[in-house]
Amino acid sequence: MTGTPYSPGLEGVVAGETAISTVGKEGLGLNYRGYAIHDLAEHASFEEVAYLLIHGKLPDGGELARYRKRLAGLRGLPEALKGVLEQLPAKAHPMDVLRTGCSALGAMEPETAEHGTYQVADRLLAVFPAMLLYWHHFHRTGERIETESAEESQAGHFLALLHGRQPDALQRRAVDASLILYAEHEFNASTFSARVTASTLSDFYAAVTSAIGTLRGPLHGGANEEAMRLISRFASPEEAEAAVRAMLAAGQKIMGFGHRVYKKQADPRSAIIQEWSRRLSEASGDLLLYRVSERIERLVREEKGMFANLDFYSASAYHLCGIPTPMFTPVFVLARVAGWSAHIIEQRGANRIFRPIAAYVGPAPRPYVPIEQRG
Ligand code: COA
């Protein structure tokens, strides 16, 4: 098989069909079930979008109200899960907390005929902020926070649990919009991972746990944290330009740039989150991070012909919402679980196990050598 052509990273390989979203397709751009991302980010709420992705249609007023109420009623943590979260180290990465919490919940509330696909999807969507912030507060202050709340939006619920007060209206809307942008993106690595796990007919929690593990890496979800570490190093746009120019000259990657699909076109989500970053910066009166980001973005575009992806301006936007940097990728989970759920459901609806083949590049067949004769 040596020399058999293949596509490293499965670039350009069509690995299945989906009716959930389109990414970078000629004339279609990015849309979720036919709705343009710009319209959704401007007019919809995250709960509306999650409903659209998972149930295949936009909810009417009554459906949305009932969905929000259902999610709000699913934010409580089982005592056993609180115990697991308390046992995890204070220094754990919050992505490890969500990965472990998801897996533990799957053992405590397994998927069954009664607690089926849609119930598990709702439960995970509702409970991830609680899981993350229960662990966060317990290990910082020893407080066992109450995670149930009647707050109708997931964004508001997350910010209220994080800061322990009613969220600022602009920050609430910015996080809501960012959850919409992060909710779904076709066959990205974590979604593909969820579908591969689902394709073995494993359970819903296993598929989401696989996806969280895949999202964690800096080439995927972890890029927003790396982008924050980069932009926060500089005291001025000029300093940022000089440093990033040197990084590019040294062949280093600038996190938050580049994309497997958006190579010749900009990531349409980037301009939307950039606008939120600008608004939040102006409201805070501190434009440094935004100006540094703008300068880096222009430089990388001019020097490498490479566009900022969603993760780049998300970094400053999240920072300005008071979200600690290690929580940036977990916030991605709170959103993308909607897309993962939709994909697990779609995969199950027309399943065939994923089982590609490899081009063999190992040794030619050779005789087995008994251990005492090996030297
Ligand atoms: N900064 C600088 N150069 C970059 C780059 C970046 N962020 N991303 C890619 N490149 C360069 C590569 O070094 C490579 O150069 P070469 O041809 O001289 O070797 C070329 O662009 C092609 O990149 P490649 O890594 O093959 O692209 P890919 O499609 O396999 O990977 C990403 C896509 C997203 C993983 C990649 O662009 C990346 O690592 N970006 C940074 C992480 C990130 O922001 N991830 C979030 C994605 S939403």
Side-chain angles (χ1 to χ4, degrees):
M1 293 262 306
T2 308
T4 306
Y6 76 103
S7 179
L10 299 183
E11 180 166 7
V13 172
V14 178
E17 294 183 331
T18 186
I20 300 169
S21 66
T22 61
V23 173
K25 299 255 184 320
E26 190 73 31
L28 293 173
L30 172 59
N31 65 57
Y32 298 170
R33 297 207 183 266
Y35 298 101
I37 193 66
H38 288 94
D39 289 338
L40 294 172
E42 192 170 338
H43 304 296
S45 64
F46 172 65
E47 292 72 36
E48 245 177 294
V49 168
Y51 189 100
L52 168 70
L53 292 169
I54 295 169
H55 296 278
K57 69 183 244 326
L58 282 172
D60 64 27
E63 286 165 333
L64 181 60
R66 285 192 295 281
Y67 187 51
R68 285 192 158 132
K69 207 163 163 211
R70 191 160 67 247
L71 294 178
L74 290 171
R75 291 172 178 157
L77 296 169
E79 287 305 314
L81 183 56
K82 291 181 185 170
V84 170
L85 296 169
E86 290 177 18
Q87 300 276 323
L88 292 176
K91 284 201 170 127
H93 191 284
M95 282 299 277
D96 298 348
V97 174
L98 289 184
R99 192 191 58 219
T100 305
C102 181
S103 183
L105 190 66
M108 293 164 195
E109 299 176 1
E111 189 180 5
T112 57
E114 298 72 45
H115 184 58
T117 309
Y118 289 93
Q119 282 89 346
V120 178
D122 289 348
R123 178 68 163 138
L124 288 174
L125 192 63
V127 86
F128 276 142
M131 220 182 256
L132 177 67
L133 293 163
Y134 182 90
W135 168 83
H136 174 76
H137 290 297
F138 178 79
H139 288 286
R140 262 138 210 91
T141 64
E143 193 193 346
R144 294 182 164 91
I145 60 161
E146 180 52 66
T147 61
E148 282 167 77
S149 87
E151 160 65 54
E152 67 169 19
S153 92
Q154 288 295 101
H157 169 61
F158 167 74
L159 287 170
L161 285 191
L162 175 62
H163 297 311
R165 57 179 143 77
Q166 274 306 305
D168 164 90
L170 185 69
Q171 293 181 5
R172 189 175 189 267
R173 182 60 194 127
V175 172
D176 189 51
S178 93
L179 295 181
I180 293 171
L181 299 177
Y182 269 125
E184 160 60 14
H185 216 224
E186 203 222 37
F187 275 29
N188 58 88
S190 58
T191 300
F192 190 57
S193 170
R195 289 190 77 129
V196 170
T197 303
S199 84
T200 70
L201 301 186
S202 189
D203 69 292
F204 207 100
Y205 296 92
V208 174
T209 305
S210 302
I212 296 172
T214 308
L215 186 69
R216 189 191 193 297
L219 295 190
H220 191 8
N224 53 16
E225 295 178 31
E226 297 303 325
M228 185 64 213
R229 290 188 186 102
L230 177 73
I231 60 174
S232 55
R233 274 172 33 199
F234 308 116
S236 69
E238 291 68 33
E239 201 183 293
E241 175 161 349
V244 172
R245 208 177 269 289
M247 287 171 75
L248 290 175
Q252 289 177 33
K253 274 192 173 178
I254 314 299
M255 294 310 188
F257 286 86
H259 196 277
R260 175 60 62 76
V261 178
Y262 304 122
K263 294 228 188 271
K264 300 206 168 75
Q265 52 183 317
D267 178 341
R269 302 166 300 175
S270 177
I272 303 173
I273 199 70
Q274 177 179 358
E275 179 57 16
W276 278 108
S277 171
R278 190 189 59 74
R279 276 193 226 173
L280 289 160
S281 304
E282 283 172 0
S284 78
D286 181 357
L287 278 126
L288 177 63
L289 284 178
Y290 183 74
R291 296 271 178 253
V292 162
S293 302
E294 264 189 332
R295 184 68 71 91
I296 296 175
E297 190 210 346
R298 200 176 67 210
L299 179 71
V300 178
R301 190 167 7 96
E302 284 170 5
E303 292 294 310
K304 296 279 294 184
M306 201 166 278
F307 301 101
N309 57 51
L310 172 57
D311 290 320
F312 189 63
Y313 281 102
S314 294
S316 47
Y318 283 169
H319 180 79
L320 289 157
C321 291
I323 302 174
T325 306
M327 277 193 201
F328 289 4
T329 319
V331 176
F332 195 154
V333 173
L334 313 188
R336 186 58 62 84
V337 66
W340 293 334
S341 298
H343 279 273
I344 294 165
I345 293 165
E346 185 175 67
Q347 181 64 34
R348 287 175 167 183
N351 189 53
R352 189 153 189 231
I353 190 168
F354 279 100
R355 203 311 185 183
I357 55 170
Y360 180 67
V361 294
R366 46 187 169 165
Y368 174 78
V369 182
I371 195 159
E372 58 281 4
Q373 290 173 24
R374 289 174 216 157

